[in-house]
Amino acid sequence: MYTRENADKFVADRKYLLKEEYRLTFHLMSEFGWMNDPNGFIYYNGEFHMFYQYYPYQPVWGPMHWGHVVSEDLMKWKHLPVALAPDQDYDRDGCFSGSAFERDGKLHLMYTGHLVTGPDRDNEYCQNQNIAVSEDGIRFEKLTSNPVIGPEQIPPGLSEKDFRDPKVFERDGVYYVVLGSNDGQGHGLILLYRSEDLIHWSFVGEIARSDGRLGDNWECPDLFELGGRDVLIMSPQRMPAQGDDYQNLHSTTYMIGRLDIGQGSFHYERYEPVDCGFDFYAPQTTVDAKGRRIVMGWMETWETEIPTQLGHYWAGAMTMPREVILDGEALLFKPLEETVAYRHNAYEASDIRLAGIKDMQVSGDCYELEVVFQADQAEEFGLRLRVSGEEETVLSYRQAESQFRFNRDLSGIGLGGERRTKVELKDGLLALRVFVDKSSVEVFIQGGEKVMSGRIYPGADSLGIQAYADGLCSMVSFKKWDIK
Ligand code: FRU
């Protein structure tokens, strides 16, 4: 029987088994077991609450619970009791992804109930939307009127089973929710519903649909206003690659456009990846007291083996939080200023000529680098991180192709591969902020124009940091801080 209490007790009794190797230090992870999507991200009563898709019993996906954490600065997290367990008839096979909002001072969650309806679990299921409310921000009661949106409210001609991941927002006193779905013919799409009382919901419209290039099912939509524009972020499944973009099995994309809330339509011109690395999915955003729009994603990829699943008793981490900034027709993703308070042991060097490999005299497995390269004549230049013997993780720039690359072929155990993305130099300069945390690398390129995230599993002794150039170039500045 899945209950919140059983889940908490199971974890408390077994936490001692957890292996520390590869555990991150300033990223969110579950205490034990499996984690996927961020859910219910909200700034409420003076602190950030984050929930997440959680299967505490094994480090593999299973009937979904909602884990729950709070944080003051999104760097250090405190674990709270499990918020939702699949303990009702309407959610017995999982409390799938959803969002949080505040109403009358109370924290509300809206989530998808998942029900398996036949022997073929992967294909025979249906989904509905539910609400749970908390008086104290910790213990949640599911409404007796659940489900508040059932599969019978799916418009005809669409998938009758994929109907999930409600993200709630309010406009002019009315609640709206976007949901991910598909047309049953290989096109992902987003549905919009509205309600005045949270109990009765009516269908407004299908606001966007894949033109055939954007995946066969859309998950985890998030629709918000930013700088007078409407932004849609969502995660298309099985989106075919487009050049160097969308190389992972499932992707995440953003569109800047205009929502016509009366008509139920969203107009956009183009779409761009949210992250160009290996491991980023199902992100969710919130706004904090300072008005910042902040996004966090799941720093993993579906349907791959995660090394900590074998004998480590945990799997899954979230990315660092990133501030989302509208910059013309694009979004920038930047590390939060809160990271600065965790910088220790500053090291700084400037005007360094590079020809071949240079050992940077500093090392580590949990740090931030801020580096500015002057490209000069070099064909290729970059950084080698987590280096020892044969191991290295390479971040490089190739001038001829205007291409930035993240290569983890020699990173250690786990999956290898390379991801590439187009980056233009600015006055011949390339500016990077790199965050390394035990088993992760996140690189913010040219002030957040592009971000690449990936998990790596190097040996504990692979701590070296090198810069290199094929040809001649220089580093205008190289700064490193340990993060503690
Ligand atoms: C996205 C997703 C969601 C679903 C959840 C289940 O990663 O597939 O669509 O709600 O994970 O855990």
Side-chain angles (χ1 to χ4, degrees):
M1 170 74 178
Y2 290 123
T3 65
R4 294 175 296 198
E5 294 73 19
N6 287 349
D8 287 331
K9 181 160 186 336
F10 183 89
V11 172
D13 290 350
R14 298 203 178 42
K15 242 167 46 181
Y16 73 93
L17 290 167
L18 200 73
K19 266 210 196 153
E20 284 302 317
E21 190 189 10
Y22 306 128
R23 293 283 284 176
L24 296 88
T25 59
F26 59 96
H27 285 80
L28 171 59
M29 296 159 293
S30 70
E31 276 185 296
F32 197 83
W34 168 270
M35 138 193 294
N36 58 283
D37 313 356
N39 294 155
F41 190 18
I42 189 170
Y43 188 76
Y44 168 75
N45 263 355
E47 56 187 356
F48 290 97
H49 287 249
M50 179 61 100
F51 303 79
Y52 51 88
Q53 290 287 280
Y54 187 27
Y55 186 61
Y57 296 99
Q58 281 179 63
V60 296
W61 190 85
M64 283 289 118
H65 296 55
W66 277 36
H68 186 190
V69 285
V70 284
S71 176
E72 284 178 7
D73 61 4
L74 299 170
M75 291 287 283
K76 293 289 168 204
W77 299 90
K78 186 176 138 206
H79 289 271
L80 295 177
V82 163
L84 301 175
D87 53 10
Q88 302 294 318
D89 288 344
Y90 53 78
D91 63 16
R92 62 165 187 260
D93 296 304
C95 298
F96 276 19
S97 284
S99 54
F101 55 99
E102 183 179 341
R103 190 197 195 196
D104 301 331
K106 289 182 203 157
L107 188 51
H108 288 59
L109 307 177
M110 189 164 186
Y111 70 96
T112 296
H114 180 72
L115 285 174
V116 173
T117 52
D120 178 1
R121 302 183 70 84
D122 293 337
N123 291 302
E124 295 175 283
Y125 55 83
C126 69
Q127 302 181 327
N128 53 53
Q129 319 311 322
N130 306 292
I131 290 178
V133 183
S134 176
E135 299 281 340
D136 61 3
I138 298 175
R139 289 200 69 82
F140 290 85
E141 298 301 327
K142 295 176 183 172
L143 296 189
T144 50
S145 34
N146 283 341
V148 293
I149 313 179
E152 69 286 352
Q153 283 170 268
I154 300 174
L158 303 187
S159 162
E160 286 169 14
K161 50 185 198 181
D162 296 307
F163 181 52
R164 59 179 175 269
D165 309 337
K167 180 80 179 5
V168 179
F169 59 96
E170 200 188 324
R171 285 204 186 168
D172 303 322
V174 178
Y175 292 97
Y176 292 89
V177 68
V178 276
L179 287 157
S181 183
N182 64 76
D183 65 356
Q185 325 267 338
H187 303 93
L189 55 86
I190 308 288
L191 302 173
L192 179 70
Y193 291 75
R194 79 193 290 276
S195 173
E196 269 152 42
D197 59 6
L198 298 175
I199 308 295
H200 305 94
W201 291 84
S202 52
F203 177 65
V204 182
E206 178 192 308
I207 63 163
R209 183 188 288 225
S210 167
D211 60 4
R213 292 173 299 166
L214 268 146
D216 58 28
N217 182 49
W218 287 1
E219 298 190 312
C220 302
D222 191 345
L223 184 59
F224 54 89
E225 286 178 306
L226 190 68
R229 310 288 293 277
D230 296 303
V231 178
L232 175 65
I233 290 182
M234 54 85 184
S235 298
Q237 287 192 289
R238 292 164 288 273
M239 177 171 176
Q242 299 181 6
D244 289 335
D245 290 336
Y246 309 108
Q247 289 284 335
N248 299 328
L249 173 61
H250 308 307
S251 300
T252 300
T253 180
Y254 74 80
M255 295 138 172
I256 301 170
R258 192 174 54 79
L259 173 69
D260 185 330
I261 211 155
Q263 294 290 318
S265 58
F266 180 77
H267 306 275
Y268 62 94
E269 301 281 316
R270 32 187 274 275
Y271 48 89
E272 293 290 335
V274 179
D275 187 289
C276 303
F278 299 95
D279 297 295
F280 186 87
Y281 197 65
Q284 193 168 91
T285 74
T286 194
V287 173
D288 74 352
K290 296 179 185 158
R292 296 178 299 180
R293 176 63 58 176
I294 300 169
V295 64
M296 285 175 71
W298 179 45
M299 195 163 45
E300 300 289 348
T301 301
W302 279 116
E303 288 156 66
T304 58
E305 268 176 32
I306 301 170
T308 60
Q309 286 178 304
L310 290 176
H312 291 240
Y313 296 94
W314 69 283
M318 298 299 171
T319 64
M320 293 169 64
R322 299 160 188 188
E323 186 172 353
V324 187
I325 292 162
L326 181 69
D327 181 34
E329 293 302 309
L331 297 181
L332 302 180
F333 299 96
K334 290 180 183 278
L336 296 189
E337 63 189 29
E338 280 83 341
T339 55
V340 171
Y342 290 83
R343 289 173 168 173
H344 291 272
N345 303 331
Y347 172 86
E348 191 170 341
S350 51
D351 295 325
I352 306 155
R353 297 292 293 164
L354 281 179
I357 298 175
K358 181 176 171 58
D359 197 291
M360 293 311 296
Q361 316 288 341
V362 280
S363 59
D365 60 7
C366 186
Y367 57 82
E368 176 188 350
L369 300 179
E370 209 174 81
V371 185
V372 180
F373 285 95
Q374 168 106 44
D376 296 332
Q377 316 312 328
E379 266 175 46
E380 178 180 324
F381 58 87
L383 297 167
R384 294 188 174 151
L385 312 174
R386 304 298 308 267
V387 181
S388 86
E390 291 294 291
E391 276 185 13
E392 60 180 20
T393 297
V394 187
L395 303 178
S396 61
Y397 187 77
R398 289 189 62 82
Q399 286 217 60
E401 293 96 338
S402 301
Q403 203 174 55
F404 190 88
R405 300 179 175 186
F406 176 172
N407 186 302
R408 64 177 185 188
D409 280 335
L410 298 177
S411 290
I413 61 167
L415 288 173
E418 182 168 86
R419 292 290 176 270
R420 304 170 173 186
T421 188
K422 190 141 191 91
V423 171
E424 298 299 338
L425 298 177
K426 291 209 173 92
D427 301 325
L429 301 178
L430 177 75
L432 306 178
R433 271 181 87 182
V434 185
F435 290 84
V436 170
D437 189 4
K438 305 283 184 182
S439 57
S440 71
V441 176
E442 287 158 281
V443 51
F444 297 80
I445 307 164
Q446 301 294 50
E449 278 177 12
K450 296 281 174 77
V451 190
M452 297 177 105
S453 308
R455 301 300 301 280
I456 55 165
Y457 299 88
D461 301 332
S462 297
L463 301 172
I465 302 176
Q466 300 173 339
Y468 77 98
D470 290 343
L472 268 182
C473 80
S474 64
M475 278 193 287
V476 181
S477 70
F478 174 94
K479 297 180 190 163
K480 183 214 170 217
W481 299 267
D482 291 324
I483 299 199
K484 277 194 213 156

